[in-house]
Amino acid sequence: MSPTIRTASENDLPAIVSIYNSTIPGRMVTADTTPVSVESRLAWFQEHTPRVRPLWVVEEVHTVVAWLSFSSFYGRPAYDKTAEISIYVHEVWRGKGLGSALLQAAIAHSPEIGVDTLLGFIFGHNTPSLNLFKKFGFEQWGWLPQVALLDEVERDVAILGKKTAAGNRKNRS
């Protein structure tokens, strides 16, 4: 049975923040080093609109267990057709295909929201996430060596990119 993916509502924000905060101690997923609050993420939440930059949640047994966001890249109009994808899965639900389901849905949905290029910014030591994106055809488009400092360890960031079906059609014309 496929997971239920739906547009997030403001009522989901505490669960979204909880999942996000649960990844901070592992130092694999986010560059935040201390937990964020629901209040501090409210403006971020409001930037995500279903028609342009959706924020989706996966719900299992009436509980939010994962989420995906499309975020604007670089904040300039020339980049409107490019979006950064972020995926967070509750630790109990990792390895059950939720990340794959979300990423596959995001790729398929991108043309509907005018996005022809997807990007993922992933720590170089986050092998599970790197493998997930590569499984769906993302390629390494950049490497930022030692740009993050986590617990006195310098970490690299990989930039993975993929042209969506809309982007590939344009390139063929």
Side-chain angles (χ1 to χ4, degrees):
M1 189 157 85
S2 61
T4 301
I5 299 173
R6 63 171 174 77
T7 300
S9 73
E10 196 170 319
N11 290 335
D12 298 318
L13 191 54
I16 291 167
V17 167
S18 177
I19 292 167
Y20 180 83
N21 283 340
S22 75
T23 68
I24 293 172
R27 304 294 197 249
M28 292 272 292
V29 181
T30 179
D32 275 317
T33 56
T34 58
V36 300
S37 68
V38 171
E39 296 75 27
S40 73
R41 300 303 282 173
L42 194 52
W44 167 86
F45 177 86
Q46 292 168 345
E47 290 170 3
H48 291 86
T49 60
R51 295 177 61 203
V52 181
R53 294 293 183 260
L55 175 60
W56 296 335
V57 295
V58 173
E59 196 171 59
E60 292 285 348
V61 196
H62 308 293
T63 302
V64 172
V65 297
W67 59 271
L68 176 142
S69 65
F70 288 82
S71 297
S72 294
F73 171 71
Y74 206 60
R76 306 282 194 289
Y79 298 111
D80 283 350
K81 293 196 173 290
T82 300
E84 178 186 350
I85 297 291
S86 298
I87 300 172
Y88 290 83
V89 179
H90 187 285
E91 65 183 331
V92 172
W93 289 88
R94 291 182 197 146
K96 299 183 186 313
L98 299 182
S100 290
L102 280 165
L103 192 51
Q104 187 173 17
I107 293 165
H109 187 70
S110 292
E112 294 177 41
I113 58 170
V115 169
D116 64 17
T117 304
L118 294 173
L119 299 173
F121 289 76
I122 302 170
F123 282 131
H125 64 285
N126 186 345
T127 304
S129 290
L130 291 169
N131 289 342
L132 171 64
F133 276 68
K134 288 177 181 176
K135 175 175 130 180
F136 285 92
F138 283 75
E139 298 174 331
Q140 185 174 310
W141 287 359
W143 187 262
L144 306 173
Q146 302 173 341
V147 295
L149 185 64
L150 294 170
D151 299 329
E152 304 305 317
V153 177
E154 291 180 325
R155 296 297 189 174
D156 307 330
V157 173
I159 303 170
L160 277 66
K162 177 181 178 69
K163 285 290 190 183
T164 66
N168 287 329
R169 279 194 297 277
K170 271 194 289 187
N171 290 336
R172 283 186 250 133
S173 343

